[in-house]
Amino acid sequence: MKTIFHRCFAALSVLLNALPVLSLPHGQDETQLVTRQSANKYVTAHFMVGIVENYTLEDWKTDMELAKETGIDAFALNCASIDSYTDTQLALAYEAAEEVSFKVFISFDFAYWSNGDTARITSIMQTYASHPGQFQYDDLGALVSTFVGDSFNWGPVKNANEHKIFAVPNLQDPNWAANANTDIDGAFSWYAWPTDGGNSIIPGPMTTIWDDRYISNTERSGKVYMAPVSPWFSTHFNTKNWVFICEDQPHLRWKQMLEMKPQLIEIISWNDYGESHYIGPYSSAHSDDGSAQWTKDFPHDAWRIIAKPYIAAYKAGLETPTVERDELVYWYRPTPKGVTCSKDPLGPPNGRDMLSDSIFVTTLLTEPATLSVVSGSQQAVEVEVDAGIVTTNFTMGVGEQRFSLTRGGEEILGGQGGLDVVDACDFYNFNVYVGSFA
């Protein structure tokens, strides 16, 4: 069975060190530049169509309602040219979006599409550009994006569509945003984890070094920047076996968005289980490429609790999020990083030595409180946490995990974590269990 991990591996394996440098475009439309810079703020989420061949209309609607509740405006529908069910699932996605007042747009996965697919891409955009479920970037046109596909020329697609098209493809080289002659309107970055480029792994935490490069080049050329936000990345296939160092990222990256204020945000991802950065529910309706080994029974839904107030603050142009009720979100791996898994032929993932053995807790508080964590055989650790959103980490201990928040000497929430940390395993799993109390 064709597997979704082949897609990202195939595309990322051809990551360019540099794209050709062309002369800067002349005659920028200053009115258009002002319009783009002053546009409303939107949050979208990357959705892997390639693993939902069995999705029904109700499955789509369920996911969309959950996304809406978090503040997400649209799904970026990552789709391949080779899947027989691509057209069927695109039609269902657009139908569902119209029915629940949500939006979607297409993200052509250029691990499979090519520059020779202009006619088919044009036809798809003619079908959906004016659809009621299509995400429109203000009055500038129907948004369309890609995974890689840097050199695809959007001019012929735009010219063949009566409805305006607004192309914001994934660019691997941020300099291409200023120099491109492919009729693009913006740039989307895939550098959502600490890296020196490609799949290189460096110590965290996440910085904005890549964002700054994209922003510099999009501002020079009057284009928009769609910034990536991702909570995690670990994968364990025979073609890719690594973990990025992003342990405190579920909170940190959203703080960076409030400081950066990009025109668009794309969350990576809603349902890419193979790379462990899903924030949507684990769907039994998806086709399993083997990633169930590290994703089944490892929910990530509670990360949406952290995202929600940040999304609201981002859209409102605020510097800090507003917390409306007391909540606690925690995440941790199932084993310490040095444990040897006895039956795993692949070995441990690249990057594991840079990780810490820690339990991570984000508190969302209306008033200060005392946080207490007991991790396995470790002694209880108490810390005072301020109102607002605060992330604290604790040394990991083998055994059950317990969390408690007290205020004025009384416990306001807490309990036992949903997964015990163990010191033995058959297969390596550097995904995290995410839970919450409210």
Side-chain angles (χ1 to χ4, degrees):
M1 180 176 67
K2 175 180 56 58
T3 54
I4 195 65
F5 69 86
H6 289 145
R7 301 182 176 186
C8 292
F9 178 77
L12 289 175
S13 66
V14 298
L15 193 71
L16 304 177
N17 291 321
L19 290 170
V21 177
L22 306 175
S23 60
L24 283 172
H26 297 286
Q28 288 290 340
D29 185 334
E30 294 182 1
T31 302
Q32 186 179 45
L33 175 59
V34 172
T35 300
R36 291 176 181 177
Q37 290 178 339
S38 61
N40 295 322
K41 306 298 188 202
Y42 300 101
V43 176
T44 71
H46 205 75
F47 189 105
M48 304 300 290
V49 176
I51 63 171
V52 296
E53 60 184 296
N54 298 316
Y55 252 40
T56 66
L57 182 65
E58 291 306 312
D59 291 325
W60 280 107
K61 290 164 68 173
T62 297
D63 278 356
M64 290 174 179
E65 292 287 10
L66 287 172
K68 281 176 59 180
E69 196 276 334
T70 308
I72 295 169
D73 299 292
F75 283 152
L77 303 175
N78 177 290
C79 62
S81 60
I82 62 174
D83 291 331
S84 61
Y85 48 86
T86 290
D87 291 341
T88 298
Q89 289 300 334
L90 288 181
L92 285 175
Y94 273 90
E95 181 182 355
E98 181 180 3
E99 288 191 15
V100 302
S101 300
F102 191 63
K103 301 298 178 184
V104 293
F105 63 96
I106 298 173
S107 179
F108 292 95
D109 191 329
F110 270 79
Y112 299 93
W113 299 90
S114 73
N115 290 349
D117 288 321
T118 298
R120 187 176 173 198
I121 289 173
T122 298
S123 176
I124 292 173
M125 293 309 299
Q126 287 172 334
T127 299
Y128 292 115
S130 61
H131 192 284
Q134 166 67 39
F135 178 76
Q136 308 289 338
Y137 185 65
D138 291 335
D139 61 348
L140 298 176
L143 184 66
V144 62
S145 189
T146 66
F147 176 71
V148 295
D150 316 58
S151 62
F152 183 77
N153 186 358
W154 290 95
V157 180
K158 292 181 176 183
N159 292 336
N161 269 271
E162 293 184 4
H163 192 92
K164 289 188 293 185
I165 304 295
F166 195 77
V168 184
N170 169 212
L171 302 185
Q172 298 165 89
D173 181 355
N175 293 323
W176 191 238
N179 301 329
N181 61 348
T182 52
D183 207 0
I184 62 174
D185 301 288
F188 168 45
S189 165
W190 198 257
Y191 296 122
W193 311 274
T195 182
D196 282 333
N199 294 322
S200 62
I201 299 165
I202 62 174
M206 180 72 178
T207 71
T208 62
I209 185 170
W210 284 101
D211 302 293
D212 296 340
R213 294 169 183 170
Y214 282 93
I215 289 170
S216 174
N217 283 282
T218 52
E219 287 183 345
R220 283 173 58 200
S221 53
K223 298 179 176 67
V224 303
Y225 175 51
M226 184 156 64
V229 171
S230 187
W232 200 259
F233 191 130
S234 63
T235 186
H236 193 59
F237 294 110
N238 58 0
T239 51
K240 57 179 188 179
N241 182 23
W242 66 77
V243 55
F244 279 107
I245 315 306
C246 46
E247 296 165 293
D248 58 352
Q249 197 153 303
H251 175 201
L252 172 64
R253 188 60 174 159
W254 281 114
K255 289 179 62 177
Q256 293 172 350
M257 291 301 103
L258 296 192
E259 297 164 359
M260 190 188 313
K261 299 178 174 62
Q263 293 97 331
L264 288 160
I265 290 174
E266 184 168 315
I267 298 170
I268 307 173
S269 63
W270 182 261
N271 68 334
D272 193 339
Y273 308 115
E275 294 180 348
S276 307
H277 44 55
Y278 52 97
I279 66 167
Y282 185 84
S283 173
S284 60
H286 85 282
S287 55
D288 180 23
D289 54 9
S291 62
Q293 178 182 301
W294 59 87
T295 56
K296 191 175 186 298
D297 301 323
F298 278 76
H300 287 181
D301 301 76
W303 273 337
R304 299 199 303 273
I305 295 173
I306 299 174
K308 184 175 181 177
Y310 275 104
I311 291 173
Y314 160 75
K315 291 182 178 181
L318 303 178
E319 298 294 329
T320 57
T322 300
V323 175
E324 297 181 346
R325 67 170 184 162
D326 296 323
E327 295 181 274
L328 180 155
V329 178
Y330 62 85
W331 61 95
Y332 52 86
R333 302 189 316 273
T335 60
K337 65 181 180 181
V339 171
T340 298
C341 297
S342 58
K343 298 180 181 179
D344 198 320
L346 301 183
N350 184 26
R352 74 160 178 173
D353 292 336
M354 299 182 197
L355 295 168
S356 65
D357 283 333
S358 300
I359 308 297
F360 291 85
V361 180
T362 293
T363 48
L364 301 88
L365 299 177
T366 56
E367 300 176 42
T370 301
L371 170 63
S372 175
V373 173
V374 180
S375 182
S377 59
Q378 303 285 336
Q379 293 292 319
V381 178
E382 287 190 354
V383 295
E384 301 300 317
V385 286
D386 291 332
I389 304 179
V390 177
T391 297
T392 311
N393 63 76
F394 301 83
T395 300
M396 176 188 286
V398 174
E400 72 176 26
Q401 312 298 310
R402 298 201 65 86
F403 307 89
S404 176
L405 272 172
T406 58
R407 184 181 292 137
E410 295 185 2
E411 184 175 72
I412 57 175
L413 55 87
Q416 183 176 341
L419 183 75
D420 288 357
V421 174
V422 296
D423 59 1
C425 52
D426 291 336
F427 301 97
Y428 290 100
N429 184 351
F430 280 74
N431 191 11
V432 285
Y433 186 99
V434 186
S436 65
F437 301 101

